Amino acid sequence: MNICITGAGGQLGQSFKSLTGAYPQWQFHFADRSIADLSDLSTVDQWLEASQPDVLINCAAYTNVNQAEEDEALARQINVDAVEHLARYCSRKAIPLFHYSSDYVYHTERGIPFRETDATAPKGVYAVTKLEGERAALAAHAGTTVIRTSWVYASMGHNFVRTMLRLGSERDELKVVSDQIGTPTYAPDLAAASLQMLQAWRQGTVSGEDMAGIFNFSNEGVCSWYDFALAIFELSGLECTVHAVESHEFPSPVERPHYSVLNKTRIKKTFQLEIPYWREALGRCLAAIGQ
């Protein structure tokens, strides 16, 4: 089975690369922006024609939440138009498409973990385009699997964990918001769950119909960004005092959700997944970094 993965240079794409050895029966084909640029669909089509996927996994996205407000055209091109293009390709070929979305699409004051069927209320260009992208993909191809996730990080790339480690080594104290509540997601755990989903489908324990649609995924547990920062310093052994502050102390062109915990019942029951607790996942990430 040929599995083709876009966005290979990002955190999630690189996490898939790290797991290929566990699936020697499958052939993986990775494309970063230099090979398949979602802002230039001709390059995507050329790569797909050469790779002939049996499954397409889209890890590419426009993820700069603040910059998207000034670069809406490009954000829409990558998060909506290109995603629909990939879905149409998968529909013509009758192959599964995996696509990743965001907890930002919910953004309501529900106050309890969000289910996939709960109302959405995206705020800002990034959130709006992520929701439009998943809707476009689902409309274009019934075999689309959308996975909404949150607070993604890895041992590589630009993310909260690496930023805290850098700042913690440079400063004696930091301010971190404590009024945004969610759950971190370790990118290798998200990639591993995705491959387990595909394996269940391939083995026939889950049908293509059951695999399609929207699923929530994050690590288990709940924390604030403040709690997350404290855990990073505790587990890494860095000495840095963290002060809890409110979001208004960090003005932003985009309002972040104050509560975006994801209910993962559907994905766990459908695929019999055991999802690691966020602190345990953080420990593995720090070990991979060398902390």
Side-chain angles (χ1 to χ4, degrees):
M1 183 166 73
N2 279 341
I3 299 179
C4 291
I5 300 177
T6 63
Q11 297 179 112
L12 185 55
Q14 291 186 65
S15 296
F16 273 106
K17 280 186 179 179
S18 72
L19 296 171
T20 57
Y23 296 88
Q25 72 276 27
W26 296 344
Q27 295 293 319
F28 290 85
H29 303 268
F30 292 90
D32 59 18
R33 192 181 303 168
S34 68
I35 297 173
D37 185 349
L38 266 64
S39 67
D40 181 358
L41 294 179
S42 64
T43 66
V44 176
D45 290 339
Q46 290 169 12
W47 175 66
L48 290 172
E49 182 63 29
S51 303
Q52 292 296 304
D54 297 305
V55 174
L56 180 57
I57 299 177
N58 179 36
C59 297
Y62 189 108
T63 58
N64 190 323
V65 176
N66 288 345
Q67 186 61 37
E69 296 300 307
E70 302 176 10
D71 208 358
E72 181 174 356
L74 181 59
R76 184 169 299 281
Q77 188 174 9
I78 294 172
N79 289 349
V80 184
D81 300 341
V83 174
E84 182 175 21
H85 185 82
L86 294 176
R88 292 189 184 282
Y89 172 87
C90 292
S91 180
R92 291 194 302 272
K93 299 292 185 177
I95 63 173
L97 169 66
F98 270 55
H99 174 65
Y100 300 89
S101 191
S102 170
D103 59 321
Y104 275 47
V105 304
Y106 291 109
H107 210 143
T108 66
E109 301 301 322
R110 177 176 164 83
I112 59 175
F114 287 98
R115 295 181 180 273
E116 294 85 351
T117 52
D118 286 334
T120 53
K123 296 182 180 180
V125 170
Y126 168 74
V128 168
T129 58
K130 291 303 290 181
L131 182 59
E132 290 181 1
E134 63 179 62
R135 286 177 172 173
L138 290 164
H141 181 34
T144 296
T145 299
V146 170
I147 301 180
R148 291 173 176 164
T149 190
S150 62
W151 300 20
V152 178
Y153 70 97
S155 61
M156 77 295 288
H158 300 288
N159 57 65
F160 185 78
V161 172
R162 290 177 61 86
T163 297
M164 288 298 103
L165 291 174
R166 175 177 58 81
L167 293 177
S169 66
E170 297 171 351
R171 307 178 188 177
D172 294 327
E173 53 186 345
L174 294 171
K175 294 180 179 180
V176 179
V177 296
S178 61
D179 59 352
Q180 294 176 25
I181 310 298
T183 309
T185 303
Y186 187 35
D189 287 347
L190 175 55
S194 301
L195 293 176
Q196 288 174 51
M197 293 167 73
L198 282 175
Q199 187 172 51
W201 164 71
R202 192 68 172 176
Q203 293 173 343
T205 57
V206 171
S207 69
E209 196 172 88
D210 287 338
M211 187 171 71
I214 300 171
F215 295 89
N216 289 333
F217 182 91
S218 69
N219 282 110
E220 294 283 27
V222 178
C223 66
S224 68
W225 289 108
Y226 168 75
D227 298 318
F228 195 15
L230 286 179
I232 292 166
F233 294 132
E234 175 191 339
L235 296 177
S236 68
L238 274 177
E239 293 187 5
C240 183
T241 301
V242 184
H243 301 284
V245 297
E246 296 182 2
S247 298
H248 67 77
E249 294 197 35
F250 291 96
S252 168
V254 181
E255 180 186 347
R256 267 68 170 175
H258 283 284
Y259 185 92
S260 61
V261 179
L262 302 176
N263 182 308
K264 298 174 286 289
T265 300
R266 185 185 182 212
I267 199 168
K268 289 192 289 187
K269 284 189 173 180
T270 303
F271 299 97
Q272 302 301 303
L273 292 183
E274 294 288 337
I275 301 177
Y277 179 53
W278 71 266
R279 280 181 60 100
E280 185 273 326
L282 174 60
R284 283 185 280 119
C285 178
L286 293 171
I289 293 173
Q291 292 288 326

